Amino acid sequence: MCATHTGSHCDAPVHKMAGGSNLDGVPLDTWVGAAWLADLRPARDDHAIGFEALEAVLQGRELADSIVLLCTGFGELRDSARWKGSPAYLAPDGARWLVERGVRGVGIDHYSIGGNDDAVNIPTHETLLGAGVWIVEDLSFPEAVHELSQPLKFWALPIRIAGASGAFCRPVVEVIQ
């Protein structure tokens, strides 16, 4: 048996928001769209990604109705002590900044966008999911992705599990030549 929030997976609003939509309530086309890669490598252990860091790497980008992918470098550390214990994470003020810009989804290369401390993790999730912004976690960014022109076209279609708060997905960046 495996939990639905294991490996690369999508979070629907009900994951942290009572009364929020489950995966069935999120239109499938919402999980596909223009994406901006926010290169935050190499992020320090326990680094809180706030609005200032996001502003610096996403300056001049049209974020409304887009997807923001946070590359901290922790995806390359999968299953290490650092990855498990002291990841970089999106701070609540960073989540608010993204919501204010109208993003539709946010991804990160760690198993939890808000890190390991519930005092930060819960408000980060609630800020995004409460605004209808979906989350995809546990991404991996091969070096070649950083060389592609942006915006990227990103796909993160969750498998269909009726009533689920999240599900596995196969995150893909579409390369059009």
Side-chain angles (χ1 to χ4, degrees):
M1 177 175 248
C2 194
T4 56
H5 294 267
T6 302
S8 295
H9 66 278
C10 300
D11 288 350
V14 74
H15 175 53
K16 297 282 184 184
M17 303 297 301
S21 308
N22 59 34
L23 285 178
D24 300 329
V26 180
L28 198 54
D29 62 347
T30 301
W31 303 96
V32 178
W36 299 99
L37 183 62
D39 192 351
L40 300 157
R41 302 172 299 165
R44 301 178 318 277
D45 289 10
D46 292 317
H47 176 70
I49 302 164
F51 77 92
E52 292 166 336
L54 295 172
E55 239 173 14
V57 296
L58 296 169
Q59 184 176 18
R61 309 292 171 113
E62 179 52 51
L63 299 180
D65 198 36
S66 71
I67 300 160
V68 172
L69 304 173
L70 306 174
C71 178
T72 67
F74 274 81
E76 303 307 313
L77 303 173
R78 186 164 174 63
D79 293 328
S80 70
R82 283 182 67 206
W83 183 80
K84 291 176 185 173
S86 55
Y89 57 89
L90 181 62
D93 72 311
R96 279 189 300 279
W97 188 87
L98 291 167
V99 166
E100 289 166 0
R101 274 136 195 88
V103 302
R104 78 160 82 166
V106 181
I108 195 166
D109 56 351
H110 188 257
Y111 64 81
S112 184
I113 198 161
N116 293 331
D117 181 356
D118 280 347
V120 174
N121 190 338
I122 292 171
T124 295
H125 273 86
E126 288 176 344
T127 297
L128 295 171
L129 297 173
V133 177
W134 54 259
I135 299 167
V136 62
E137 297 167 322
D138 208 357
L139 297 172
S140 177
F141 298 105
E143 193 58 39
V145 171
H146 297 277
E147 298 169 13
L148 299 173
S149 62
Q150 294 192 48
L152 308 166
K153 185 165 184 186
F154 181 73
W155 298 68
L157 303 176
I159 63 168
R160 188 169 193 280
I161 302 173
S165 67
F168 313 113
C169 70
R170 180 64 188 249
V172 175
V173 169
E174 181 179 342
V175 178
I176 301 172
Q177 297 181 353

